[in-house]
Amino acid sequence: MNEVVLTAESPARKAREPVVLSEHIIEVISDSGEGAQRCGQSLGAIAARSGNGVWTVEIIPAEIRPPARSVAGASGNRIRIGTHRITNGGGKTDLVVAFNEQVLLGRVHAGELKPGATILLEDMWRENRDPAIVEAYRRVHDQLIAAGYDVREIPMERECRKLVSDAKRGKNMFALGMICRIYSFSPEVAHDQIGRTFAKKGAKVIDQNVMLFDAGYAWAGENIDLHYMIPSSPAAGPQMVINGNQALALGVLASGMELCAMYPITPATSASHYLSDVFENVGGMVHQAEDEISAASFALGASYAGKCTVTITSGPGLSLKQEALGLAVMGEVPMVVIDVQRGGPSTGQPTKVEQGDMFSVMFGSHGDAPKVVMAPSTIEECFHSVITARRIAETFRMVVVILSDASLATSQQPVPRPEFDPAWVAAPLDLSPVGEGAKPYDWDAETGLSRRFIPGQPGGMFAMTGLAHDRASHVAYDPEINQTSLRARSLKLAALERTLRPPKVHGPEEGDLLVMGWGSTRGAIEEAVDGLIAEGHRVASVNLTFLQPMQPGLKEIMQRYRRVMTIEGNYSDDPADAIINADNRRYSHLAMLLRARTLVDVDCWSEVKGQPIKPDTIRSVMLERLKGDAS
Amino acid sequence: MNDFTDPTECLLRLHDEQFALEDYQGGVPRWCAGCGDNAILSAVQRLCRDENLRPEKTVFVSGIGCSSRFPHYMKTYGLHGIHGRALPLAEGIRMTRPDLDVFVNTGDGDCCSIGAAHWIHAIRYNMRMVVMLHDNRIYGLTKKQASPTSPIGLKSNTTPRGSWLDALNPLTVTLGVQNVSFVAQAVDWIPEQLYAILQAAYHHKGLAFVRILQRCTEWLPKLFDEAVRDPAHVQLLHHERGLSISPALAKIYPNRLEHDPRDINRAREIASETDPIPVGILYHNPDVPCYEDLRHHGLGQHTPERIRAGLEAEFDKFTIHPHTAAAAE
Ligand SMILES: Cc1ncc(C[n+]2csc(CCOP(=O)(O)OP(=O)(O)O)c2C)c(N)n1
Ligand code: SF4
Ligand SMILES: [Mg+2]
């Protein structure tokens, strides 16, 4: 569906008129520290400013300073640029700029490049003093050509050295210039973007980078016979280019929360970095605690004493926070927990995407500890989910968990600039007296809700406790009390569910196959669905923003399709495995939940390769299921 | 600003309530008869009354253990938390609500074992609160297991042939942490000094760490017998910058030591003494900065207008300037 018209005209011919593309995926990769990241981000910004749809994915090595020229050391960006809004990283790469052949090899081995993809390869290694490097370079180069890639050796180093003494600083701008020329991006926009990127470094640095950009632009014009154009369709209102972690942090600001307590952990930390930088401007603060247990407890103490607080973490940190979350549930203290999921279990794949924490947040802590669980599915939703979470937490006296993931965290996209709404912001602390005889857990018989007492409120004095307690927070010795209080805390989920609307269906209201998903897979699922619909298939998808409680009306929607399945980024058994059968098959998380809740025979497909699931992969899975349906 | 410029305010102050002991007495304590926790509770309730603390402005925070039931027995706000985490819970309260008085009650297992990491960092944060370590040198609530402060050789349910390791000394550990600002030791059987120490701790601007040797009559009925019976096993610390010793007390306790609480090296030496048991203020430095003061810039001045301004400034940073606008610039 996104097959791109690569050769509407032969690229070998030096085309005057650029070849028009509906989209392309471009990668810029280097050893870490060589600036490929900045080049890629700038390209994303230039494309977005030109009105194109953009989705930028960071390519991050697992180590901070991997050895130079290593297969596992690729650092850079992958930028998908299209005419229309883009909601995910898409399929395989069309064009890659590589600063050495080894980092490129890593991407080739990972199967990230399209067959025949264009490779713009730094050629300085051919004349290296070290014969081993020369030999390695030649071997890889020849292999790539033999494999059918369109390899073009580029003297980036040599060209840059004509202008600057140290080509390491600036080669990335030369590369940016080449790409902008190839894709017909306006040099003026690029100059302006470079000015903004280096604004803090002063005019001299800006000028040098512009000079290198221009050199790359001119060099490509003379020496590279590729000329493309991806038409744009400018957005209606002002747009911001942000990643999911920045969106979460902005959501924290907007929600009116004042305190974030955290302990560093990938891939959540960048949200706290950004928040640390800006939170104090609006009267908030980030506390880096000695560990996650402390972070959760600190946040809980602050929430107990006043406004709802937030703690940000990822899988291993979440495990450490569980006991404190149980106390928050028991004491009915509002709290927002952000879990930016990564590969697990244990230390797993810290920089890679996975959707494996749904059950641990839902059923974690011990005993019955009902929490609200939400999953933003877009960068825009990352922002709004925090605001909603804070409101739910305070209204229902509950812990609200937001499940993001490594993909949303590091992907960048233009999103509409939000319009500030004063209703986002938490109300100031109300320290007015508590009425005579009022109790801190005066659970409403129908909804389980009760008014929260806050220290400083005269007449409200009570000892919050994690022990089973009655309405007055007295330790419960009465046999009925545990039953009553667990009922109250459970009913709050139902009370919230009653305020939710059924999810929207993407695609036809009825058909042969419904795909259900949650979180960052949404864009890829919807793209696959759109493609199949265009080919005449009767398929649709539903994305669930609320995982606990679930939105109403799901069963009714599911019954309108012949088959229902989930697509998720957590592990599930492959029914084709020899010893897997109907009795022992483990379904993926959402499928298991939906089966239990609706008694519909929901199927699933999932993948845990540490990469966002590609639309093409989903398409194949769906086609296979549709085929099964016909037989 | 002068609090008393408003005449109605003056009037209010005039009629400000004077609280009585009953105003701090919550649930009936369920500790064993003779448990040292009772003495600590009485001293604390007296302190609250004498300092006329507003019950709604006072919070007692604890972990889990016999001693951690403390908040239930106060008629103030309380947070009976989870095992080992009293300190970070209290820090969160203190950070966002500097208007509240915060007290922490923690056991030797709670503070020195499961919560040890938080203990060290709490000393370093030096947030204003009174921390009472109820050190009965045993796990009380879970029925007699050795704690880190149990004397070597102690027979308990998990060390039936005697505990293996030398006891951890909470005083020397605390005195070894950067930013330590107040360390004292009290014993439950000398209520007068217990009260005086807690009072000094309350007035300290920072984290006041008070280790209280507390008798567990249930599991270790004889552990402190000698020290309780024979005053020679106790050494009272006094100084013009520390505590004074009443003539009545002086008559009972001949063993006294003048110690300047500013002298940290001497404090460390005294802290290592276990017989006689030093009782009094070992160390006091009023000049150590408090984390909440360092971090509090602007906290609480969190208005929708300010949020809006801050947010729009951030939005501006990320807003992309479409091609046409850029060309016009
Ligand atoms: C996470 C966790 N582990 C273990 C326990 C069981 N537990 C409760 S209190 C306690 C020890 C209490 O000893 P201490 O802190 O000295 O308090 P004391 O009862 O002596 O006052 C233990 C191990 C628990 N409640 N939570
Ligand atoms: S078991 Fe020991 S510490 Fe616990 S209440 Fe009884 S005497 Fe006190
Ligand atoms: Mg104990």
Side-chain angles (χ1 to χ4, degrees), chain A residues 419-438:
Chain A
E419 288 268 353
F420 181 80
D421 179 350
W424 288 348
V425 179
L429 273 196
D430 171 10
L431 294 184
S432 57
V434 166
E436 187 105 25

Side-chain angles (χ1 to χ4, degrees), chain A residues 122-142:
Chain A
E122 167 66 72
D123 74 353
M124 62 189 263
W125 311 105
R126 209 178 255 293
E127 278 143 36
N128 200 278
R129 254 181 265 130
D130 181 348
I133 289 181
V134 174
E135 156 64 15
Y137 177 84
R138 290 208 175 137
R139 199 177 49 237
V140 172
H141 173 265
D142 296 350

Side-chain angles (χ1 to χ4, degrees), chain A residues 10 92 250 369 374 382 491:
Chain A
S10 160
K92 299 189 181 207
L250 288 168
M374 301 169 64
C382 285
L491 280 176

Side-chain angles (χ1 to χ4, degrees), chain A residues 13-179:
Chain A
R13 220 186 71 203
K14 207 167 183 177
R16 282 268 162 86
E17 283 300 306
V19 178
V20 174
L21 307 170
S22 65
E23 69 153 80
H24 239 203
I25 298 176
I26 301 156
E27 278 189 24
V28 188
I29 48 172
S30 66
D31 286 342
S32 67
E34 284 189 314
Q37 293 267 356
R38 175 154 280 167
C39 173
Q41 279 161 7
S42 303
L43 176 62
I46 292 164
R49 293 177 60 177
S50 310
N52 286 104
V54 180
W55 187 274
T56 309
V57 178
E58 284 178 23
I59 298 164
I60 318 164
E63 298 162 45
I64 299 287
R65 280 269 170 210
R69 294 173 40 79
S70 65
V71 173
S75 163
N77 260 297
R78 187 170 187 281
I79 311 102
R80 185 181 181 198
I81 301 173
T83 297
H84 301 291
R85 199 177 115 81
I86 288 181
T87 59
N88 65 87
K92 299 189 181 207
T93 300
D94 296 288
L95 181 144
V96 51
V97 181
F99 288 20
N100 69 61
E101 82 289 351
Q102 296 298 318
V103 291
L104 176 64
L105 209 51
R107 305 296 294 162
V108 173
H109 289 167
E112 290 291 347
L113 268 56
K114 238 180 219 170
T118 303
I119 294 170
L120 306 183
L121 182 59
E122 167 66 72
D123 74 353
M124 62 189 263
W125 311 105
R126 209 178 255 293
E127 278 143 36
N128 200 278
R129 254 181 265 130
D130 181 348
I133 289 181
V134 174
E135 156 64 15
Y137 177 84
R138 290 208 175 137
R139 199 177 49 237
V140 172
H141 173 265
D142 296 350
Q143 274 170 8
L144 291 171
I145 298 219
Y149 292 106
D150 173 19
V151 183
R152 290 141 188 264
E153 296 187 78
I154 313 284
M156 286 191 264
E157 176 86 8
R158 207 177 331 129
E159 289 299 319
C160 290
R161 287 288 287 275
K162 291 180 185 165
L163 301 166
V164 291
S165 55
D166 180 6
K168 267 217 152 148
R169 324 184 73 198
K171 200 188 276 184
N172 58 345
M173 288 296 124
F174 185 89
L176 183 63
M178 291 196 303
I179 300 169

